[in-house]
């Protein structure tokens, strides 16, 4: 007889408040800004996607500050 096994693949761990959360968000913000300004993504929908993600993270950072 086989028992149910629960897999953690695809689970999401929320970013909680605090210094660790802020530093993680700042890292992600810088990463998206770099990708958005990268020459390979300039004037592409992928570059726009990275810029929108960066703006969303910036708003979250501003609300935490």
């Amino acid at each position: 007889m086989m028992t149910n096994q629960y897999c953690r693949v695809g689970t999401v761990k929320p970013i909680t408040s605090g210094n660790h959360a802020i530093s993680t968000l700042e890292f992600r913000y810088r990463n998206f800004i770099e990708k958005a300004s990268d020459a390979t993504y300039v004037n592409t929908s992928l570059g726009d996607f990275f810029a929108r993600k960066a703006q969303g993270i910036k708003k979250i950072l501003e609300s935490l500050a």
Side-chain angles (χ1 to χ4, degrees), residues 18-64:
N19 289 338
H20 179 63
I22 292 173
S23 63
T24 301
L25 288 171
E26 287 173 342
F27 172 78
R28 290 183 181 178
Y29 174 73
R30 286 190 305 270
N31 189 21
F32 282 126
I33 289 294
E34 288 174 14
K35 287 182 178 183
S37 65
D38 190 2
T40 58
Y41 300 126
V42 172
N43 294 327
T44 66
S45 58
L46 187 57
D48 294 339
F49 169 78
F50 289 138
R52 283 192 307 273
K53 293 297 277 185
Q55 289 295 21
I57 292 172
K58 183 179 179 183
K59 287 181 183 179
I60 294 170
L61 284 169
E62 289 172 348
S63 71
L64 293 175

Side-chain angles (χ1 to χ4, degrees), residues 10-24:
T11 59
V12 177
K13 191 178 232 184
I15 298 174
T16 58
S17 61
N19 289 338
H20 179 63
I22 292 173
S23 63
T24 301

